[in-house]
């Protein structure tokens, strides 16, 4: 349904950057609309990355990447309790397998110190192998960064989005931006698939499509070169394979194929880095998977391939300039770029949001703090983390928590219903998976899939045949084919 | 937390659990069956085809029909309590089970003996690492079977099936009878693991091509699946370049293997067999932890439900002996090893009890199809038993009874192998 | 006109692969089967193949939306799909007991379609 809206700010893109910006700006007396082209938030690069909060030694000194990585790392650690984030500050290791790499570690340490990264130290081979016994005995040492950690991107994005909505931001999904209206060099609004939104300020957080969005306003100052990275995720039964985040010594283009756990205890390997022309190609390939297996085995030779449970691909938005593009557009007044957010984008997101607020102020927008800003969301109920007493009390209040729908990850029907009805709630099977885990475990939806589909249909008051897996047309099931009522008589 | 005491607690109300319950109810006072689904019967309720029970009931029943027989037996016994819609959260070595359901909340039961009968789950696309996108319309054959036969929806209308085991074959026929078009069944091995009867009645009858020695290289489709790229494979199961072809479809069903569902057993530290993916059990179906038994697909994947019931009966019976402290002393332990063409054997251990000279039934599977071989059970160089097999297939379990008196004279190890 | 048909026997696990020679609908010769049961199966399979039918019908007011059904006997193979498509349109009312006749004498073939299980009314 198309209609015309009016607002102060339109944020284009509902990934980790767009949602972080929405939450940051929700602190001020502003009307804000966030538009996202997919049916759910966090379906672009936010959906498929290494889920790592980087320490910040890798980014070039003086770059926006470095500054915002370190500041973002700090912010997440502060926000962890306020926004109920899934964050484990486990520290990270960059492993060297030859002397040249050991020399690089020294350089990384120096660079990190300059970037403001605390606590970096170079560990000896023995020290490393004590922490990570599965590592190849060929390693010579590692750079240890205590502020590196595992950050679940979905809890962060949904926490940001939900908090933004609770503080007055409007989120519109399945709303693709088709044009930006510029009059006399000034932004006046955004054309979308759901109508025109009048606004003086547009924030471009459109991920791999941010250069296209920028061009809509006549700003052709950068190009996004998509870069594919594949991952393989393993069963929790092998979680003790690596205890922290293991990086190889980085190359010029990439941090390399790493091994890590997620906050939930699934070991994963990846990503590789293949430049592509296809911004929306998230297919895995046999060559890509082979590449990350070989890369990972160099560091952990005993990698148990038979314990693999799923594979996925993410596409990063690499800007041709090599750094984040966070600035007011010179092409159209009122357009603010938050583009080219490749690694360490997830880590930098809350710091990018801070910077966007500063730029808006510089561009003439008055940022009056909201007196009644609510910094926290109602706590998530996580059945799998609760003790039996707490669970019993929960079930007494809501019997739906007494029905386990996801056997692999112990997720209840009550949690699923809650995730559907929260602000920016789940409306698809994968939306439930991203928020809660059913479908992400070892059965990959074999047991829970039909049940989650039925619950979505019931709670959204739609037929089972209208339930989608993820994208706009990803309908899960069809009605049965009507039979033929003709009674054939025997000739 | 609500606490209750039972003599035998059975986790799983499918064919193994039901048979165990009926059997156990004859030896102890209080039996509990805990089932996660809304009704008893397990996977049988979605297996609406017939062919079940030829050995057990001398009739060919449908899955629901076979389940109904056992459900009736359970309902007729007043000392069997059933908890439906209930998930077991943990099992401890002190024989307590913690479960949860909407009515009782979290509860604890303590038992004298516990039987694992959780069945198995299906191998997934992620486990076989098929490249491509992750669109809607890709699901395991069993999940599709549940949707088609119990919930009333179709997973697609133009179907490709990967894997020619019985579940894949049965679903090929089922989808055809539902009016959809089944394009092909692809099987990576040079032979089908399913019964010949199913190849004939599910594929040939419906003119569905069976591509042996083929696999899927890539899944296509952005929203729903639009097709698959397939190729022939060589003897090492690697794709042969140049043999690729594309099959258009809107649904891919995976029938690529079953995995015994042993999370609860593993969490408890029960000793597992890597080949069967189930617990190591003896002929009484007792695991390495006394008082903990296991039966059915959770021990090893079965092809005939009749043997599942048989295992359940054994586990149920001896769980009651354990509960009543009438098992007696173990006189001898014999480990059962496999070699030369025999892939798995259950039980993996024989514990001979005083005054017990019953035959021990071994259930075995060969590694690949064989013709005109002899299955031999060896005690070192000595032959304990031999059985001529005109045909042996990995998909058809071989059952052999070893006389008790022969076992008494064996050493501490016997080996099952094929002589060609 | 003479025709040779290959038949995979399904009576026992030996799965003999034999051949039946048929001329104008009459069996002329049977070879390759190791037992009389196999030969009998092959003859029937080639002249008048029969199959059991199992499928579902819709059920109203029951604890489940579908009722599994089974044919009381084998049906001519070439009528199975038509029977299944006919049953696809059928809706019965709960409660139903295992063995209840859902469709008597389907298509006049002398075979009933019966319920495979009980389904209670809810």
């Amino acid at each position: 349904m198309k209609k015309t809206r009016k607002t102060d700010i339109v944020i284009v893109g509902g990934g980790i950057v767009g949602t972080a910006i929405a939450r940051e700006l929700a602190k001020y007396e502003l009307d804000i609309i966030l538009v996202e082209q997919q049916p759910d938030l966090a379906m672009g690069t936010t959906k498929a990355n290494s889920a790592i909060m980087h320490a910040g030694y890798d980014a070039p000194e003086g770059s926006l990447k470095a500054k915002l990585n370190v500041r973002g790392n700090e912010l997440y650690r502060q926000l962890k309790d306020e926004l109920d984030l899934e964050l484990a500050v486990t520290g990270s290791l960059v492993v060297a397998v030859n002397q040249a790499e050991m020399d690089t570690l020294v350089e990384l340490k120096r660079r990190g110190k300059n970037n403001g990264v605390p606590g970096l130290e170079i560990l000896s081979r023995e020290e490393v192998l004590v922490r990570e016994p599965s590592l190849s005995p060929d390693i010579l040492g590692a750079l240890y960064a205590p502020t590196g950690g595992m950050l679940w991107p979905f809890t962060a994005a949904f926490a940001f989005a939900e908090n933004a909505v609770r503080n007055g931001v409007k989120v519109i999904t399945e709303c693709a931006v088709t044009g930006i209206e510029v009059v006399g060099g000034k932004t006046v609004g955004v054309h979308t698939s759901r109508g025109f939104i009048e606004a003086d300020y547009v924030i471009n957080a459109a991920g791999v499509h941010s250069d296209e969005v920028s061009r809509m306003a006549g700003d052709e100052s950068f190009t996004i070169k998509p870069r594919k990275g594949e991952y393989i995720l393993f069963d929790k039964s092998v979680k003790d394979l690596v205890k922290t985040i293991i990086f190889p010594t980085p190359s010029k283009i990439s941090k390399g194929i790493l091994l890590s756990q997620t906050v939930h205890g699934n070991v994963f390997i990846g990503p590789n880095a293949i430049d592509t022309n296809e911004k929306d190609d998230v297919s895995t390939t046999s060559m890509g998977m082979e590449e990350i297996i070989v890369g990972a085995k160099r560091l952990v030779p005993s990698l148990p391939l038979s314990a693999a449970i799923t594979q996925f691909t993410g596409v990063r938005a690499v800007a041709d300039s090599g750094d984040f593009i966070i600035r007011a557009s010179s092409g159209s007044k009122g357009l603010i770029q938050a583009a080219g957010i490749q690694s360490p984008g997830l880590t930098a997101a809350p710091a990018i949001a801070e910077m966007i607020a500063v730029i808006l102020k510089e561009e003439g927008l008055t940022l009056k703090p909201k007196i009644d800003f609510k910094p926290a969301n109602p706590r998530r109920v996580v059945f799998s983390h609760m003790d039996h007493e707490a669970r019993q009390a929960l079930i007494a209040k809501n019997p739906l928590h007494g029905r386990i729908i996801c056997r692999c990850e112990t997720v209840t029907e009550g949690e699923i219903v809650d995730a559907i009805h929260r602000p920016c709630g789940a409306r698809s099977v994968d939306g439930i998976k991203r928020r809660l885990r059913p479908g992400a475990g070892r059965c990959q939806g074999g047991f829970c899939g039909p049940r989650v589909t039925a619950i979505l249909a019931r709670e959204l008051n739609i037929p089972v045949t209208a339930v989608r897996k993820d994208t706009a047309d990803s309908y899960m099931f069809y009605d049965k084919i009507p039979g033929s009522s003709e009674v054939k008589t025997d000739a | 937390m609500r606490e209750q005491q039972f003599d035998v607690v059975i986790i799983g109300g499918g064919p193994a659990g039901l048979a165990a319950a009926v059997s156990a109810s004859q030896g102890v006072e209080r039996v509990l069956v805990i089932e996660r689904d809304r009704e008893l019967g397990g996977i049988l309720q979605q297996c609406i085809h017939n062919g079940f029970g030829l050995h057990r009931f001398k009739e060919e029943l449908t899955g629901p029909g076979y389940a109904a027989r056992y459900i009736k037996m359970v309902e007729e016994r007043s000392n069997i309590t059933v908890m439906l819609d209930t998930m077991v959260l943990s099992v401890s070595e002190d024989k307590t089970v913690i479960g949860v359901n909407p009515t009782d909340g979290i509860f604890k039961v303590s038992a004298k003996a516990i039987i694992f009968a959780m069945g198995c789950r299906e191998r997934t696309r992620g486990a076989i690492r098929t490249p491509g996108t992750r669109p809607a319309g890709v699901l395991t054959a069993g999940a599709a079977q549940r949707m088609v036969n119990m919930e009333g929806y179709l997973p697609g209308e133009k179907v490709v099936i990967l894997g020619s085991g019985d579940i894949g074959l049965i679903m090929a026929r089922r989808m055809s009878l539902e009016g959809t078009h089944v394009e092909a069944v692809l099987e990576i091995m040079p032979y089908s693991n399913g019964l010949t009867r199913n190849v004939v009645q599910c594929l040939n009858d419906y003119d569905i091509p069976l591509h042996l020695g083929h696999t899927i290289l890539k899944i296509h489709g952005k929203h729903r699946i639009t097709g698959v790229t397939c190729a022939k494979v060589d003897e090492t199961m690697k794709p042969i370049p140049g043999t690729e072809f594309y099959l258009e479809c809107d649904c891919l069903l995976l029938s690529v293997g079953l995995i015994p569902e042993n999370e609860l057993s593993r969490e408890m530290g029960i000793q597992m067999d890597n080949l069967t993916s189930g617990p190591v059990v003896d002929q009484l179906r007792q695991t390495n932890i006394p008082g903990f038994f296991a039966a059915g697909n959770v021990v090893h994947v079965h092809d005939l439900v009749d043997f599942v019931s048989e295992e359940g009966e054994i586990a149920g019976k001896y769980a009651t002996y354990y509960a009543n402290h009438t098992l007696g002393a173990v006189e001898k332990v014999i480990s059962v090893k496999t070699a030369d063409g025999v892939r798995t054997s259950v039980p993996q251990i024989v514990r001979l009890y005083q005054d017990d000279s019953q035959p021990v039934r071994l259930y075995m599977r060969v590694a690949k199809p064989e013709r005109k071989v002899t299955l031999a059970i060896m005690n070192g160089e000595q032959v304990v038993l031999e059985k001529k097999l005109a045909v042996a297939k990995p998909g058809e379990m071989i059952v052999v009874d070893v006389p008790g008196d022969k076992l008494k004279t064996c050493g501490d190890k016997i080996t099952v192998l094929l002589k060609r | 006109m003479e025709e040779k048909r290959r038949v995979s026997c399904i009576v026992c696990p030996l799965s003999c692969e034999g051949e039946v020679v048929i001329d104008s609908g009459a069996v002329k010769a049977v070879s390759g089967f190791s037992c009389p049961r196999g030969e009998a199966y092959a003859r029937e399979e080639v002249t008048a193949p029969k199959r059991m039918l199992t499928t579902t019908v819709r059920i109203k007011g029951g604890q489940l939306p579908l009722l599994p059904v089974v044919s009381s006997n084998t049906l001519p193979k070439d009528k199975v799909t038509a029977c299944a498509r006919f049953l696809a349109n059928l809706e019965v009312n709960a409660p139903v007991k295992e063995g209840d006749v859902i469709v008597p004498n389907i298509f006049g073939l002398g075979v009933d379609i019966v319920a495979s299980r009980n389904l209670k009314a809810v």
Side-chain angles (χ1 to χ4, degrees):
Chain A
M1 204 200 67
K2 287 195 178 211
K3 69 187 236 192
T4 304
R5 299 173 172 84
K6 185 173 161 45
T7 190
D8 296 323
I9 302 177
V10 173
I11 301 172
V12 181
I16 191 71
V17 175
T19 56
I21 294 171
R23 196 257 177 172
E24 183 64 27
L25 297 180
K27 294 175 181 168
Y28 304 101
E29 298 282 0
L30 293 165
D31 281 338
I32 303 164
I33 297 181
L34 184 152
V35 293
E36 164 55 52
Q37 67 171 343
Q38 295 278 18
D40 196 2
L41 304 175
M43 278 178 65
T45 312
T46 307
K47 178 162 94 93
N49 53 73
S50 310
I52 289 174
M53 185 178 71
H54 293 285
Y57 47 77
D58 189 62
E61 289 159 83
S63 64
L64 277 178
K65 282 180 179 175
K67 177 171 147 213
L68 298 174
N69 181 153
V70 174
R71 175 62 183 151
N73 184 304
E74 205 187 331
L75 282 170
Y76 273 123
R77 284 181 286 124
Q78 288 170 18
L79 287 170
K80 180 183 174 188
D81 286 330
E82 186 172 84
L83 288 177
D84 197 11
L85 300 177
E86 291 184 275
L87 169 65
V89 188
T90 54
S92 58
L93 292 170
V94 182
V95 170
V97 302
N98 56 47
Q99 191 50 50
E101 291 193 346
M102 284 299 287
D103 296 339
T104 308
L105 294 189
V106 172
E107 165 57 23
L108 284 178
K109 180 168 177 225
R110 187 205 63 76
R111 191 192 306 166
K113 196 147 177 265
N114 262 21
N115 285 346
V117 179
L120 292 170
E121 63 178 293
I122 304 231
L123 302 178
S124 70
R125 182 178 174 280
E126 290 67 42
E127 287 174 304
V128 176
L129 288 176
V130 159
R131 285 164 195 253
E132 297 284 3
S134 304
L135 279 176
S136 163
D138 296 340
I139 63 148
L140 295 185
L143 173 70
Y144 173 62
T147 57
M150 303 161 188
L151 171 67
W152 199 234
F154 301 116
T155 10
F158 293 126
F160 286 142
E162 184 178 330
N163 195 243
V165 168
R166 287 185 186 275
N167 285 292
V169 172
K170 276 192 191 35
V171 171
I172 309 176
T173 54
E174 275 182 280
C175 184
V177 168
T178 53
I180 298 181
E181 190 77 16
V182 179
V183 173
K186 214 175 133 329
T187 310
V188 299
V190 166
H191 294 278
T192 78
S193 54
R194 288 179 176 249
F196 182 71
I197 308 176
E198 215 184 295
D200 289 337
Y201 295 91
V202 174
I203 302 173
N204 179 7
V208 290
H209 298 287
S210 53
D211 56 348
E212 297 160 51
V213 169
S214 180
R215 244 170 258 137
M216 289 175 190
D219 181 341
E220 304 190 353
S221 62
F222 65 93
T223 311
I224 298 297
K225 293 181 181 309
R227 186 175 291 157
K228 256 177 92 154
E230 301 184 36
Y231 295 88
I232 299 178
L233 195 85
F234 296 84
D235 191 298
K236 286 181 180 179
S237 58
V238 300
K239 77 190 272 268
D240 291 328
L241 194 68
V242 293
K243 299 182 181 46
T244 62
I245 307 163
I246 315 275
F247 292 97
T249 301
S251 74
K252 283 209 165 46
I253 61 156
S254 134
K255 290 185 177 65
I257 297 163
L258 59 114
L259 297 104
S260 180
Q261 280 191 34
T262 64
V263 285
H264 305 116
N266 294 97
V267 170
F268 70 90
I269 64 174
N272 57 348
I274 307 285
D275 289 326
T276 173
N277 287 324
E278 302 285 332
K279 286 179 171 178
D280 297 320
D281 178 12
V282 287
S283 60
T284 51
T285 63
S286 62
M287 267 178 60
M289 289 196 271
E290 196 52 45
E291 193 186 338
I292 60 179
I293 291 167
V294 167
K297 277 192 164 169
R298 250 183 242 130
L299 298 181
V300 175
S302 60
L303 191 71
L305 277 179
S306 59
I309 63 174
T310 191
Q311 303 81 46
F312 56 93
T313 298
V315 181
R316 297 93 120 188
V318 181
D320 44 0
S321 63
D323 196 5
F324 290 160
I325 295 172
I326 304 173
R327 61 175 181 243
S329 165
S330 44
S332 175
K333 183 149 171 59
L335 174 65
I336 318 288
Q337 315 280 23
I341 312 299
Q342 58 168 145
S343 184
L346 170 64
T347 314
I352 295 173
E354 273 184 340
M355 191 169 165
I356 292 292
V358 168
I359 295 173
L360 281 168
K361 219 182 287 176
E362 287 167 0
E363 289 298 298
L365 184 63
T366 310
L367 263 51
K368 181 169 168 236
K370 260 190 198 128
I371 308 164
D372 60 348
F373 175 70
K374 301 178 265 294
N377 301 321
R379 305 300 280 185
R380 295 173 296 121
V381 164
V382 186
F383 188 90
S384 60
H385 291 174
M386 296 165 83
D387 65 32
H388 290 317
E389 239 182 81
R391 288 171 173 180
Q392 189 65 311
L394 185 70
I395 296 166
K397 271 197 297 196
N398 179 3
L400 287 184
H401 283 294
R403 184 172 294 122
I404 307 287
I405 298 294
C406 170
R407 195 257 166 281
C408 300
E409 305 282 320
T410 318
V411 180
T412 70
E413 184 168 349
E415 292 172 272
I416 294 171
V417 170
D418 185 49
I420 293 170
H421 294 296
R422 288 181 85 107
C424 301
R427 310 186 88 61
S428 63
V429 173
D430 282 1
I432 292 291
K433 178 174 78 166
R434 286 190 285 273
R435 287 162 177 78
L436 293 178
R437 313 282 297 146
R442 62 181 63 93
C443 88
Q444 289 289 293
F447 175 66
C448 59
R451 291 161 172 82
V452 168
T453 304
I455 295 168
L456 279 164
R458 182 187 80 210
E459 295 296 317
L460 295 174
N461 208 13
I462 58 177
V464 164
T465 50
V467 175
R468 292 176 291 185
K469 179 179 184 282
D470 208 9
T471 56
D473 294 321
S474 60
Y475 298 102
M476 298 281 293
F477 297 106
Y478 298 148
D479 277 320
K480 286 203 169 184
I481 298 168
S484 65
S485 308
E486 45 174 280
V487 177
K488 290 211 191 91
T489 51
D490 276 16
Chain B
M1 192 188 311
R2 195 171 138 215
E3 286 199 37
Q4 278 188 284
Q5 254 102 346
F6 286 89
D7 298 307
V8 175
V9 171
I10 298 163
I11 304 174
L18 292 173
V22 170
S23 164
S25 72
Q26 287 158 16
V28 293
E29 275 183 25
R30 307 193 63 203
V31 177
L32 171 67
V33 176
I34 306 178
E35 167 54 48
R36 68 183 178 185
D37 211 331
R38 52 201 167 196
E39 58 178 346
L40 292 170
I43 209 73
L44 287 175
Q45 298 293 13
Q46 67 184 57
C47 297
I48 64 163
H49 53 282
N50 71 331
F52 300 92
L54 201 52
H55 294 250
R56 206 113 258 263
F57 298 112
K58 305 284 181 279
E59 286 180 63
E60 282 207 7
L61 303 170
T62 62
Y66 188 99
R69 300 274 169 110
Y70 275 95
I71 293 172
K72 182 155 182 277
M73 288 188 243
V74 164
E75 285 171 351
E76 280 168 353
R77 283 157 171 77
S78 56
N79 61 338
I80 302 179
T81 306
V82 174
M83 293 181 87
L84 297 173
D85 198 18
T86 305
M87 188 71 80
V88 168
L89 293 175
S90 63
V91 179
S92 309
E93 220 171 310
D94 63 358
K95 300 196 187 67
T96 57
V97 173
I98 297 185
V100 64
N101 68 42
T103 0
D104 302 306
I106 305 259
F107 64 87
K108 183 191 268 195
V109 291
S110 54
K112 296 181 184 156
I114 292 178
I115 304 177
F116 294 115
M118 295 89 75
C120 55
R121 64 175 186 271
E122 298 177 275
R123 182 166 279 116
T124 65
R125 180 260 177 103
I128 61 173
R129 307 202 301 276
T130 304
T133 49
R134 298 192 298 168
V138 178
L139 60 173
T140 52
Q145 190 181 50
R146 183 164 178 122
M147 289 308 286
V148 172
N149 291 344
M150 296 189 87
E151 312 295 331
Y153 296 98
L154 294 179
E157 294 184 2
K158 201 171 197 197
V159 184
V160 168
I161 299 176
L162 178 63
S164 67
D166 288 320
I167 305 178
L169 300 178
I170 291 290
M171 281 311 286
R173 176 174 63 189
R174 188 79 191 103
M175 294 303 286
S176 303
L177 287 177
E178 284 287 340
T180 72
H181 191 251
V182 180
E183 295 290 300
V185 174
L186 302 156
E187 166 57 56
I188 200 168
M189 300 301 274
Y191 53 85
S192 163
N193 231 5
L195 302 170
T196 306
R197 165 181 150 143
N198 286 335
V199 175
V200 169
Q201 297 190 353
C202 302
L203 299 189
N204 300 352
D205 278 10
Y206 298 92
D207 295 321
I208 299 170
L210 171 62
H211 299 296
L212 293 174
H214 280 71
T215 193
I216 292 181
L217 296 189
K218 191 168 176 150
I219 292 172
H220 304 263
K222 190 165 162 172
H223 304 277
R224 275 195 64 96
I225 183 172
T226 49
V228 290
T229 300
C230 317
K232 206 162 189 296
V233 298
D234 61 27
E235 328 75 57
T236 67
M237 301 202 282
K238 291 229 151 40
I240 301 172
T243 65
E244 299 88 1
F245 61 97
Y246 181 75
L247 283 175
E248 206 181 278
C249 65
D250 73 352
C251 174
L252 172 63
L253 298 185
L254 298 163
S255 171
V256 293
L258 295 172
I259 303 164
E261 187 87 74
N262 275 291
E263 310 323 315
L264 292 172
S265 342
R266 276 180 219 270
E267 269 158 31
M268 257 200 65
I270 296 222
Q271 187 194 3
M272 306 295 288
D273 175 348
N274 281 340
L275 286 176
T276 57
S277 298
V280 171
V281 293
D282 65 18
Q283 79 279 21
L284 310 184
R285 292 303 178 279
Q286 186 163 214
T287 66
N288 68 312
I289 301 184
F292 288 87
F293 295 76
N297 274 353
V298 82
V299 176
H300 54 153
V301 174
H302 286 260
D303 32 82
L304 291 183
V305 72
D306 312 68
F307 291 139
V308 167
S309 300
E310 195 171 280
E311 259 190 356
E313 251 174 44
I314 296 170
K317 174 176 172 187
Y318 291 105
T320 66
Y321 280 37
Y322 180 89
N324 295 332
H325 306 284
T326 54
L327 262 185
V330 176
E331 265 187 345
K332 183 196 242 167
V333 177
I334 306 172
S335 67
V336 181
K337 299 284 176 215
T338 58
D340 290 345
V342 177
R343 189 166 177 273
T344 57
S345 169
V346 169
Q348 299 92 333
I349 277 190
V350 174
R351 292 193 178 96
L352 289 177
Y353 289 83
Q354 244 170 9
D355 308 325
D356 179 9
S357 53
Q358 283 182 90
V360 166
R361 178 163 276 194
L362 296 181
Y363 302 73
M364 292 145 296
R365 284 195 192 276
V366 295
K368 59 180 179 56
E370 308 269 1
R371 276 194 174 263
K372 293 204 177 73
V373 287
T374 302
L375 181 83
I377 302 172
M378 309 294 292
N379 173 30
E381 297 295 309
Q382 205 196 0
V383 173
V384 176
L385 192 78
E386 270 185 357
K387 180 174 180 172
K388 280 199 167 66
L389 302 167
V391 159
K393 291 184 187 163
E396 285 165 30
M397 210 174 257
I398 301 163
V399 171
V400 157
D401 289 327
V402 185
D405 52 347
K406 290 231 166 124
L407 286 167
K408 282 200 200 294
T409 60
C410 284
D412 60 4
K413 182 175 104 170
I414 57 174
T415 308
V416 187
L417 47 81
L418 293 182
K419 287 183 177 171
R420 294 185 183 79
Chain C
M1 228 230 351
E2 217 181 66
E3 207 193 313
K4 286 194 182 132
R5 301 249 208 102
R6 292 212 62 77
V7 175
S8 298
C9 183
I10 60 167
V11 178
C12 87
L14 268 181
S15 308
C16 296
E17 293 248 342
E19 197 179 77
V20 179
V21 180
I22 178 170
D23 191 341
S24 315
V27 172
K28 292 287 177 215
V30 179
S31 60
F33 301 98
S34 345
C35 77
R37 286 200 303 159
E39 281 201 20
Y41 166 77
R43 278 172 194 275
E44 190 184 67
E45 187 60 9
V46 159
T47 52
K50 295 194 172 50
R51 298 284 187 266
M52 291 290 286
L53 169 64
T54 54
T55 184
T56 53
V57 298
R58 282 176 293 128
I59 177 165
K60 209 161 155 197
Q63 64 193 102
L64 291 174
L66 296 179
L67 170 71
V69 295
V70 56
S71 54
S72 60
N73 210 328
T74 50
L75 292 159
K77 178 177 134 182
D78 61 1
K79 296 277 187 285
V80 165
T81 301
C83 287
R85 299 316 300 142
F86 170 76
L87 292 166
N89 269 4
L90 221 62
E91 189 173 57
V92 301
N93 291 312
V96 166
K97 282 213 125 34
E98 184 182 347
D100 280 356
V101 174
I102 305 299
V103 176
N105 193 11
I106 188 166
F107 291 2
L109 295 165
V111 174
D112 298 334
I113 304 294
V114 305
S116 302
R117 60 168 291 169
N118 297 344
L119 272 181
K120 293 203 251 286
V122 288

